[in-house]
Amino acid sequence: MLGLERGFEPSLGAPSSSSAQKRRRSPVAGQLKDPGVTALLRGLAARNPGLCVVTTREGVKDLAAFHGGTAPEWSLERLDKAAGIDLLKKLGVHGSRKDLVEDVDGHALTINLIGTFLVTAHQGDVRLRDRVKFEKADAKVQGGHAFKAIAAYENWLGGEKEEGARQLAVLRLLGLFDRPADGGCLDALRKEPAIPGLTDELVGLDEEDWNLAVSALTGCRLLSPSPVSGEGRGEGLDAHPLIREYFARQLREKSPGAWRAAHGRLFEHLRDTTPNQPDTLEGLQPLYQAVAHGCHAGRQQEARAGIYRDRILRGGEVYSLHKLGAFGADLGAVACFFDPPWRRVSPALSEAAQAWLLNEAAYRLRALGRLTEALEPMRAGMENYIKQEDWSNAARLASNLSELELTLGDVPAAVRDAEQSVTFADRSGDAFQRMGKRTTHADAQHQAGRRAEALALFRAAEGIQAELLPAYPRLYSLPGFRYCDLLLAEAERAAGWEGGAGAAGAAIFSDSREALREVEERAKSTIEIAERNRWILDTALDHLTLGRAALYGAILAGTDLAAARAEIEPAVDGLRRAGTTHHVPRGLLTRAWLLFREGDRAAARADLDEAEEIAARGPMPLFLADVALYRARLFGDRAALVEARRLIENHGYGRRLGELADAEVRLRSATEARLEP
């Protein structure tokens, strides 16, 4: 490392305690201490045709004359997306790395710190980045260097009397936020009355002195201006997450009263200045922040009911999820009610509210592909509702648990819990629950390979719906998709076996034609409901149903695939936008088949690879079995066929046994044909 004179150390280096470095940078900042090194670098810059790389936190002042030519200077504090993703890949982080890079705005130190900690503590799973505490990561990865450097700044500013006290107060304000602080929030904190132990130095401060304090901290690179975060919210300030977390800990531990009072003030400010029910995800952001501040202030009940339930979810409409697909933002809000996630809900809430939040957390974790994390809160929520004899909600939780177990590949458990959900629904007397839970049970039975039982349950559910909603006699939304999935099963198997036209294909198509026509009619009617209500996921699933019906029909009849493509592409796009990771492989599998039929084998393999990556990360063993079966059926992959059998048998995935047997017969026949003399 080069020896450089420092003024204010940029980023997170410890400041000198020298009195020569009080308010301005040192006049020799950035100059090399060793004359020999200075001469060497100047000589290289002037004449060397090779390469010399100098890395330092300060700009090298002695090379300034060469910056425009042989010694260009690049600031690497922020990495572009591609470089950040590559760094995480080299560290061993897997999953959607770009999300982490975007979350931290490409900050190199943060990417390295979080990435290294994820690999060390969480097997490199990028989805668990919200579990990383910077203090712990800094201690484990860097020996606590960053927090020690910030503490040095704190001690130094603490000795600077009036100006230093103001700057420390500003930094402590930033510790109240988990994101850039907008001007409106900062103004609310600076208003009368002062919050003892926090804003004493800032209340009544004129704008000139405030700006001087901010400017000094910006010069030290402890703060940075932030873009305006919302209409009318003013210019904001940001600080590195390490700095925010350091001062949050200091304030929470040393001045808990000030901590709660400040968060309470921010909660009230955001509650009162945000439109009641914003329509966009950007518009909802202040309400998500209000939830966090309300929980820190000890006002969990107000935050849960008044903000999260009534204004973000809009009650039973579940607006943020069904209309915006905001599963990640919602999970962040729900996490505020837990300590630690996802085991203990705040005791400040009622038992009913705690059970509700356990399910909310589990549902969002599942949608984001964090399946194993979702199990514990979902089971705990169900047990709470059973204890309260709240049978309607117990049915809902048992049904969700069955769906989760099915995604995790535990088909027998999924069947048992789905059956239990029907029992709870019948006890509740709620017709809607009685209908919905029978479709969950039916789907579990279908995946287990019990077609007759599944069909009877779907028909019973549809009978209940016809009585409950005469204007909508057919199952729609996810129940409707599941029913169509069952109705398509035979045509799917036939298309996979035939793989072409001709007399045999025409005969098979004739047997499946009635089912395909019924599915098409159902999906065309239900997609109107989904589009009218702006349900992102349901619309995508209906497109997928229409696309599958068109694909299987075209394969069996030997006709054009254009109708299938017209439905499958919006289905895949919609499943991605819906934010439900556990549904995306459905679309990718169908599109892979379409691409293969169109002759684009490379693209088909790419979709199967992506589906496999999502399923492996889940873990989602049934989708892994599907991927293996598709590889065997489309590409003649014998190793994949062996893996498909292993997965199907190990997980009780009876639905695929017929297709598995077909694929084995076809591959065996192909092998025998090649061996004939």
Side-chain angles (χ1 to χ4, degrees):
M1 176 179 288
L2 292 178
L4 290 172
E5 295 290 351
R6 297 174 181 169
F8 282 107
E9 174 95 351
S11 190
L12 295 174
S16 166
S17 59
S18 168
S19 59
Q21 298 176 355
K22 288 192 174 179
R23 200 56 55 212
R24 302 180 185 84
R25 295 175 58 82
S26 166
V28 295
Q31 291 184 1
L32 294 159
K33 295 178 180 178
D34 189 322
V37 175
T38 303
L40 172 64
L41 291 181
R42 282 178 172 275
L44 291 174
R47 292 178 292 278
N48 179 41
L51 176 68
C52 175
V53 178
V54 177
T55 61
T56 174
R57 291 181 179 178
E58 286 277 5
V60 184
K61 192 173 181 179
D62 299 275
L63 296 178
F66 302 95
H67 285 172
T70 57
E73 183 178 74
W74 291 292
S75 172
L76 299 179
E77 183 176 347
R78 308 281 176 183
L79 301 179
D80 63 31
K81 188 182 295 184
I85 291 171
D86 191 52
L87 172 58
L88 288 170
K89 185 176 181 180
K90 284 181 168 59
L91 290 172
V93 175
H94 57 81
S96 185
R97 305 178 189 95
K98 70 178 181 63
D99 293 341
L100 172 53
V101 176
E102 291 171 352
D103 284 352
V104 302
D105 197 24
H107 193 283
L109 171 62
T110 311
I111 292 172
N112 186 71
L113 193 65
I114 296 179
T116 302
F117 190 75
L118 283 173
V119 170
T120 303
H122 297 294
Q123 293 77 51
D125 190 342
V126 75
R127 297 171 302 172
L128 302 184
R129 62 191 181 278
D130 61 336
R131 304 282 291 273
V132 177
K133 297 296 184 183
F134 281 99
E135 180 181 8
K136 188 172 184 179
D138 178 45
K140 296 294 184 183
V141 175
Q142 301 189 135
H145 167 76
F147 267 59
K148 291 174 185 174
I150 301 168
Y153 269 115
E154 182 184 30
N155 292 335
W156 174 63
L157 290 172
E160 292 291 297
K161 297 184 180 177
E162 187 177 88
E163 291 184 14
R166 289 174 185 168
Q167 291 171 39
L168 269 179
V170 174
L171 290 172
R172 289 179 181 128
L173 291 190
L174 272 292
L176 296 166
F177 300 89
D178 62 356
R179 66 195 73 200
D182 69 50
C185 287
L186 293 171
D187 288 344
L189 291 168
R190 293 170 56 200
K191 287 179 180 177
E192 294 278 4
I195 300 171
L198 179 60
T199 64
D200 311 80
E201 306 292 335
L202 301 177
V203 170
L205 191 67
D206 61 41
E207 285 304 303
E208 180 179 337
D209 286 333
W210 166 263
N211 291 335
L212 285 171
V214 169
S215 178
L217 292 168
T218 303
C220 299
R221 299 175 70 184
L222 291 170
L223 289 185
S224 61
S226 172
V228 176
S229 54
E231 185 177 350
R233 295 193 176 274
E235 184 177 357
L237 293 174
D238 195 10
H240 189 282
L242 284 162
I243 293 173
R244 291 202 301 261
E245 187 169 312
Y246 175 86
F247 283 102
R249 184 195 66 179
Q250 295 293 93
L251 186 60
R252 185 173 58 248
E253 293 179 357
K254 296 182 178 180
S255 302
W259 169 263
R260 289 191 297 272
H263 280 295
R265 187 175 294 188
L266 289 169
F267 171 71
E268 293 169 1
H269 166 73
L270 292 165
R271 178 196 65 192
D272 298 340
T273 60
T274 305
N276 185 48
Q277 292 180 333
D279 291 330
T280 66
L281 181 56
E282 181 181 4
L284 285 173
Q285 289 305 314
L287 293 181
Y288 282 122
Q289 293 177 56
V291 170
H293 292 304
C295 290
H296 286 311
R299 298 165 70 171
Q300 286 88 346
Q301 181 55 35
E302 293 175 73
R304 186 196 73 87
I307 305 296
Y308 182 61
R309 184 194 64 195
D310 296 345
R311 296 174 66 178
I312 293 176
L313 295 180
R314 302 187 187 181
E317 187 178 353
V318 197
Y319 182 87
S320 55
L321 301 188
H322 292 170
K323 306 296 176 65
L324 303 177
F327 283 90
D330 257 43
L331 182 64
V334 171
C336 297
F337 298 97
F338 283 78
D339 186 22
W342 303 100
R343 299 174 187 170
R344 181 175 178 269
V345 187
S346 169
L349 295 164
S350 67
E351 284 191 3
Q354 291 180 41
W356 182 80
L357 283 164
L358 285 163
N359 181 60
E360 297 295 290
Y363 184 72
R364 285 145 186 78
L365 286 165
R366 180 191 177 217
L368 293 169
R370 296 165 63 170
L371 306 180
T372 53
E373 289 182 85
L375 271 174
E376 186 174 351
M378 194 170 285
R379 284 198 181 111
M382 183 181 71
E383 289 166 3
N384 280 1
Y385 280 130
I386 292 171
K387 180 181 176 182
Q388 298 166 41
E389 297 187 357
D390 183 343
W391 302 121
S392 180
N393 278 315
R396 185 164 55 91
L397 268 291
S399 173
N400 289 347
L401 182 58
S402 171
E403 293 174 7
L404 176 58
E405 288 164 337
L406 199 60
T407 309
L408 284 165
D410 192 347
V411 178
V415 172
R416 286 195 303 272
D417 281 318
E419 185 175 12
Q420 189 175 39
S421 77
V422 173
T423 300
F424 293 154
D426 289 346
R427 287 182 190 173
S428 76
D430 184 328
F432 186 80
Q433 294 292 344
R434 293 179 62 241
M435 176 274 296
K437 302 318 166 253
R438 278 165 171 76
T439 66
T440 303
H441 191 198
D443 187 52
Q445 294 279 32
H446 175 210
Q447 305 312 319
R450 300 167 190 154
R451 178 181 174 83
E453 294 92 329
L455 188 58
L457 283 162
F458 276 125
R459 287 173 175 167
E462 194 157 71
I464 295 171
Q465 179 167 311
E467 291 182 10
L468 181 65
L469 300 170
Y472 302 98
R474 285 178 168 170
L475 294 171
Y476 61 90
S477 189
L478 187 57
F481 173 79
R482 290 168 172 163
Y483 193 7
C484 287
D485 186 44
L486 173 69
L487 295 174
L488 283 171
E490 290 302 315
E492 180 181 13
R493 180 180 178 184
W497 171 259
E498 172 56 23
I508 296 171
F509 177 65
S510 177
D511 293 339
S512 302
R513 185 163 45 194
E514 183 61 35
L516 290 171
R517 184 168 59 245
E518 180 182 352
V519 165
E520 185 177 0
E521 289 176 359
R522 284 177 173 274
K524 282 183 176 178
S525 65
T526 58
I527 199 171
E528 293 178 3
I529 300 172
E531 290 176 339
R532 186 165 61 247
N533 287 282
R534 293 165 49 206
W535 294 335
I536 302 174
L537 175 61
D538 296 334
T539 301
L541 290 174
D542 284 333
H543 275 301
L544 182 58
T545 296
L546 289 167
R548 290 174 65 197
L551 175 63
Y552 306 155
I555 291 173
L556 292 169
T559 54
D560 185 75
L561 296 167
R565 172 163 285 283
E567 299 292 347
I568 291 169
E569 284 298 339
V572 175
D573 292 342
L575 291 173
R576 294 191 196 280
R577 287 190 299 108
T580 49
T581 305
H582 63 295
H583 284 299
V584 173
R586 301 182 191 277
L588 293 172
L589 286 161
T590 302
R591 190 171 69 178
W593 196 349
L594 170 70
L595 290 165
F596 179 85
R597 296 289 305 180
E598 291 177 334
D600 194 343
R601 293 192 167 206
R605 287 187 187 276
D607 272 357
L608 291 179
D609 289 344
E610 184 183 353
E612 185 172 21
E613 181 186 357
I614 294 170
R617 198 165 62 235
M620 307 175 193
L622 304 191
F623 281 136
L624 288 174
D626 291 341
V627 170
L629 189 57
Y630 270 58
R631 291 193 193 281
R633 193 164 59 193
L634 300 181
F635 298 102
D637 188 329
R638 285 169 170 74
L641 187 59
V642 172
E643 177 65 4
R645 175 164 286 283
R646 184 188 71 82
L647 289 166
I648 288 168
E649 290 180 345
N650 286 355
H651 294 280
Y653 195 17
R655 170 193 178 167
R656 296 298 186 195
L657 285 172
E659 292 165 88
L660 176 67
D662 293 345
E664 289 173 337
V665 169
R666 293 197 65 178
L667 281 180
R668 187 164 55 249
S669 298
T671 301
E672 291 170 353
R674 284 197 299 272
L675 292 175
E676 287 181 1

